[in-house]
Structures are given as structure tokens and as C-alpha cells.
Amino acid sequence: MSANESIENLLSSTFMSRTIALYEKNNQFLYYLIIWTPKYIFPSVALFGIVGNILNMIVLANKNLKNVFYKYFLVLSTASFLYILVSFSYFLVKRSFLSLPSHSYAFVFFELYIYFLTTNLLNVFVNQLFIVLSLRRLFILTSVSMRQSSNMKLWLSLILASTLLLNVPNFILHNVEEIACANESAGCYAISTQSSRMSRLFTVFSIVAVVVRGLVLPLAMLIINLVIFFKFRTYLRRKALLKSIGGY
């Protein structure tokens, strides 16, 4: 079950229906917030992100911007643009005039291979790219020299390879499967997980991949950026101290 279906099930539950009805009577702000968020706020944020990343890509693609950081940010903006675009296209297919039956083969195929797997790939890729950029900032603050242009292709290749590796379980374990449905004239399909076919070694690898994607990468970003924060604060204090000494 996807996160979107889980939210819909929550909103359609008896408890949630009563809560919404209660807010409708007693708190109009929360009522409209719950109702309008998936209909208007999410699409507005997505459109803002799409336009913003397009502008970023146009600016960062300028040949005059030769610094390697600009090239990294161009790749980052492109990946972010694709992530938002795929997510927004899923919203259009799910809720707009492009709406398909939720158990049709076309919709389930789109949900699994276009939305779920693609967004997972882009999410892991962007997280690792953030880590590389943060490490470069840290190296600059600690005066560690790095060759810029020669290392970029290597770093991007490593990030792409590790992204594919960490998402191998998703590609192998999930597929589109036909299920029984009340309407016999049309087939019903759903995303299935082939956990019963997993070997012990593959099970361990899948668990490690989930932990790395969901815990290790975000934690690494947090730790590196905290180190950058304290390093930069120390740098500013030293600069202010030298300036005050020089003033005397």
C-alpha cells in the first residue's frame, strides 16, 4: 500500500470523518486546511518548485559559471525538478481529469514504476549529492584541497551506482499483480511484494539498504552540516578576533 492510499484510507475512516465533521462545525480554519491541503496547497507548492528549479537550471547552465559548485547545483536542481515533476504527475493521474481507476493496470503500473521507484531513486540520489556538497564545504573550511573538475564525474558515477544498488530490493521485490475483484468484466491489479521468495542473504541486504536509505544518509547529512556549522562559527570568531586585534 502506498503512502497516498494510506492517507486516503485515513481520511475515509469513520474516526477521521467524524473529526472533519467536528472541525466543520467548530473550527472552520482546520476544516478548510484539511480539505484544501491535498487539493490546492500541494499542487501550488509543486508548481512553485517546478518553476523555481527550471529557473535555477537556466541560470546554472550559463557557461560563465565555471566553478564546480555551480555544476553540482545544476545536477541537484535537475534531480529536484524531476522528483517534483514525477510527484506532480502522480497527483494529476490520481485526482485530475486524467484520473484512472485505482485498480486498473495502467494506474498501478504508473504508481509502481513511474512514481514509487523513480521518486525513491531520485530521493537517494539527491541525499547523496547533498552529502558530497556538504563534504566539499567542510573541506574548504578545513583547508583540505580537492581537485574540482576531475573528481566531479567520479563522484557522480559513484552516487549513481550506489543509488541503483540501494534500490535493487525495490526493483526485485515489487511488481504488478492481478487480484480478485467484484467486477469480473475488468481486471483488478495491485502492487505486490514477493517477500516469500527472498533468500536469507538478500533479506539482510534489503534490510541494510532500507536502513541506509532511511537512516544513515539523513543522519550523515545532519552530522556533516552540524560540523560545518561549528567550523564556520569558529572561523567567524577567529576573523572577528583578528579584526579587533588589527584595529588596535
Side-chain angles (χ1 to χ4, degrees):
M1 182 181 293
S2 67
N4 215 29
E5 287 178 333
S6 301
I7 294 171
E8 287 187 354
N9 291 339
L10 176 63
L11 291 174
S12 62
S13 65
T14 304
F15 172 76
M16 197 64 186
S17 299
R18 290 176 180 174
T19 304
I20 293 175
L22 184 64
Y23 284 146
E24 185 178 9
K25 291 181 179 180
N26 301 317
N27 194 323
Q28 290 291 312
F29 173 76
L30 288 177
Y31 169 73
Y32 285 113
L33 184 64
I34 293 172
I35 299 299
W36 287 357
T37 295
K39 290 184 178 181
Y40 304 109
I41 297 177
F42 287 165
S44 301
V45 172
L47 286 173
F48 181 78
I50 290 171
V51 173
N53 279 290
I54 289 175
L55 293 175
N56 279 341
M57 288 187 290
I58 292 173
V59 172
L60 293 170
N62 192 320
K63 294 181 180 180
N64 294 326
L65 302 177
K66 297 180 180 180
N67 191 288
V68 70
F69 273 103
Y70 295 125
K71 296 178 182 178
Y72 274 112
F73 282 121
L74 176 60
V75 176
L76 184 61
S77 293
T78 305
S80 299
F81 166 76
L82 292 174
Y83 182 91
I84 299 172
L85 185 64
V86 170
S87 300
F88 187 61
S89 64
Y90 177 75
F91 171 84
L92 291 178
V93 171
K94 186 78 173 177
R95 296 185 177 274
S96 72
F97 59 90
L98 298 173
S99 180
L100 296 170
S102 61
H103 290 293
S104 66
Y105 181 83
F107 177 80
V108 176
F109 182 90
F110 180 88
E111 184 177 35
L112 175 60
Y113 294 106
I114 307 300
Y115 174 67
F116 175 72
L117 294 179
T118 304
T119 52
N120 270 280
L121 283 169
L122 291 170
N123 186 43
V124 175
F125 181 85
V126 167
N127 284 344
Q128 292 183 94
L129 192 57
F130 267 123
I131 290 174
V132 171
L133 284 169
S134 299
L135 284 173
R136 284 186 169 272
R137 291 191 190 104
L138 183 60
F139 291 152
I140 290 173
L141 288 173
T142 53
S143 301
V144 177
S145 61
M146 291 182 66
R147 289 181 301 170
Q148 297 188 352
S149 57
S150 60
N151 283 341
M152 183 178 176
K153 291 182 179 179
L154 175 62
W155 278 112
L156 290 178
S157 299
L158 290 174
I159 291 172
L160 184 60
S162 60
T163 297
L164 293 172
L165 183 64
L166 290 171
N167 281 279
V168 164
N170 287 334
F171 286 100
I172 294 177
L173 296 178
H174 298 92
N175 61 0
V176 178
E177 187 176 80
E178 189 171 5
I179 59 173
C181 59
N183 187 2
E184 297 180 359
S185 62
C188 291
Y189 297 86
I191 299 174
S192 65
T193 304
Q194 308 295 328
S195 57
S196 58
R197 300 179 183 179
M198 292 171 58
S199 65
R200 189 170 298 178
L201 182 62
F202 190 76
T203 302
V204 173
F205 172 71
S206 301
I207 294 172
V208 171
V210 170
V211 171
V212 171
R213 292 198 311 261
L215 180 63
V216 175
L217 292 180
L219 192 60
M221 283 193 293
L222 175 63
I223 292 173
I224 293 171
N225 281 283
L226 283 175
V227 173
I228 291 172
F229 169 76
F230 288 112
K231 288 281 186 181
F232 189 65
R233 189 175 68 171
T234 303
Y235 165 77
L236 291 178
R237 286 180 175 177
R238 287 178 180 175
K239 187 176 180 180
L241 180 62
L242 291 173
K243 187 176 181 180
S244 63
I245 295 173
Y248 292 108

